[in-house]
Amino acid sequence: MPETGYVVAVVAVVFAITFGLRALPFALVMPLRESAFLRSLAAWMPAGLMVILAATTLRDSAGAAWGHLPHAGIAVVVTVAAHLGLGRSTLLSVGAGTLTFVGLVHLF
Amino acid sequence: MQKQQVIERAEPVSTTGAETVPAEPGAAEAGAAEAAPAPSTTATDRRRQIASGLRASLAAGMGLVPIGIAFGMVVVQSGLPWWLAPVLSGVVFTGSLELLLVGMILAAAPLATVALTTLLVNFRHVFYAISFPLSAVRSRLGRLYAMHALVDEAYAVTAASPRGWTGWSLLPLQLAFHTYWIGGGLAGVALAHLLPGPIEGLEFALCALFITLTLDSCRSGRESRRRCWAECASPARWSSSPSMRCWSGCWPSSRR
């Protein structure tokens, strides 16, 4: 069991760095929001970052030894198909994809 | 000072979307017809905005709650004090890193190692400021909270549906994420003694969420440019604003 003082120090360090990473860029970005470079950056960044987030969470779902990669692949296809085919309802698409993955993981 | 100027300049843009409830794609178009030019402050508007923020939080909640439960169970089953789960989730609020921290705290890793890991794992957050609609939040305290609670899900939901956020929809969205995450952790703490392990595979909800948000952000970028070009091309616009600025505003940060 770690000492409470150490745990508090860890929480403080992680909080300070994380809040800094989240908050400081606003101070830099706010005056630059009208710049053409940032505008074009803002154009492609969201989709690009989200592809990265999707890829890292997919990697987590696939398991340490990639054992669940086929299951995850099928669930990705179901999610995309549900989203594009059933009117882009996020809740419905996420529900369909997740149920598919949970079902496949437990069955196979 | 400069911040203030940017906010003022941003205002005409945001009032076009202020009345519309942004959360779901399509809602913006539905609300546009009844939109009044004045910024909305009435109680019903407020309720509607809060409701839209909470509605927009639901899909991500499907992923956050099960992962929060898994996190709470890991904390208890690894022998750490149970209060670490709500404290980390409330104060630090950084999903994937919290699971790593459990292992590091158990191993009594040096603080420098903790700091470096945090920096590497969370560095992606520096890019979120570019399109996150922080200027929608008016109060200072609200802004501090919005920055603290700028998790992946909050960034992703606002980036995929960037128009028309207000403080009354953005903060409820983030508070909801925070509540799902802390609540999931506490549920995991409670369940740790009852269940052998969390239900396998539920964490896929976050992956599915990011996939749908990728699809949405590709679409909303195209749509807002088309709408903006149409607006710049209308003669009514020319007298009020220099056309060059209008056209250059058609790049997606005008979607904020």
Side-chain angles (χ1 to χ4, degrees):
Chain A
M1 187 75 81
E3 283 172 43
T4 307
Y6 168 74
V7 173
V8 170
V10 166
V11 171
V13 164
V14 176
F15 169 77
I17 294 175
T18 303
F19 186 76
L21 288 172
R22 283 172 179 163
L24 287 182
F26 283 104
L28 300 174
V29 160
M30 282 302 193
L32 296 175
R33 272 213 163 170
E34 303 294 304
S35 93
F37 172 68
L38 271 194
R39 277 176 191 288
S40 57
L41 205 60
W44 55 259
M45 283 257 314
L49 279 174
M50 259 170 299
V51 169
I52 294 171
L53 290 172
T56 53
T57 46
L58 180 71
R59 206 254 154 279
D60 292 342
S61 287
W66 298 97
H68 289 153
L69 189 61
H71 314 68
I74 295 170
V76 168
V77 172
V78 169
T79 307
V80 172
H83 203 56
L84 298 181
L86 301 176
R88 289 181 180 263
S89 152
T90 309
L91 213 52
L92 188 68
S93 317
V94 170
T98 308
L99 280 181
T100 305
F101 185 73
V102 172
L104 288 173
V105 165
H106 284 263
L107 287 175
F108 302 103
Chain B
M1 185 65 191
Q2 267 172 321
K3 267 187 195 170
Q4 197 55 42
Q5 285 172 350
V6 172
I7 293 159
E8 276 162 17
R9 252 179 292 153
E11 213 136 359
V13 180
S14 65
T15 47
T16 58
E19 293 289 296
T20 66
V21 177
E24 311 102 319
E29 284 81 351
E34 44 169 313
S40 50
T41 46
T42 68
T44 38
D45 275 333
R46 226 172 256 177
R47 261 203 300 280
R48 217 174 51 201
Q49 289 169 17
I50 292 172
S52 82
L54 294 179
R55 216 167 31 242
S57 78
L58 289 177
M62 284 173 52
L64 284 170
V65 170
I67 296 180
I69 291 175
F71 170 65
M73 293 177 87
V74 165
V75 166
V76 172
Q77 287 171 354
S78 65
L80 291 172
W82 69 270
W83 49 261
L84 198 61
V87 166
L88 276 178
S89 298
V91 178
V92 176
F93 195 18
T94 166
S96 51
L97 181 66
E98 290 177 33
L99 283 158
L100 285 176
L101 285 175
V102 170
M104 290 199 283
I105 291 173
L106 271 178
L111 288 179
T113 311
V114 173
L116 187 66
T117 308
T118 305
L119 197 65
L120 291 177
V121 173
N122 279 347
F123 192 76
R124 63 182 185 280
H125 287 96
V126 303
F127 300 111
Y128 294 173
I130 295 174
S131 55
F132 185 74
L134 184 69
S135 53
V137 182
R138 294 301 152 101
S139 85
R140 208 178 166 74
L141 203 64
R143 284 177 167 230
L144 279 176
Y145 179 73
M147 290 190 285
H148 169 56
L150 180 44
V151 285
D152 298 330
E153 291 76 13
Y155 164 76
V157 168
T158 53
S161 167
R163 292 174 68 85
W165 288 97
T166 65
W168 290 98
S169 55
L170 189 61
L171 292 178
L173 173 88
Q174 294 185 281
L175 275 166
F177 288 156
H178 216 157
T179 308
Y180 300 150
W181 183 239
I182 297 173
L186 287 173
V189 166
L191 287 171
H193 309 289
L194 304 175
L195 284 182
I199 297 172
E200 201 186 357
L202 277 180
E203 80 287 345
F204 185 82
L206 278 190
C207 180
L209 173 74
F210 290 130
I211 290 169
T212 62
L213 292 174
T214 305
L215 296 172
D216 288 346
S217 71
C218 290
R219 188 184 71 154
S220 68
R222 268 200 315 276
E223 260 188 8
S224 73
R225 278 197 291 281
R226 202 179 306 137
R227 198 180 300 139
C228 183
W229 285 333
E231 198 184 312
C232 292
S234 84
R237 179 87 207 183
W238 295 346
S239 51
S240 59
S241 138
S243 59
M244 268 320 286
R245 223 186 102 194
C246 182
W247 292 112
S248 72
C250 288
W251 288 100
S253 61
S254 62
R255 302 184 272 140
R256 74 199 145 191

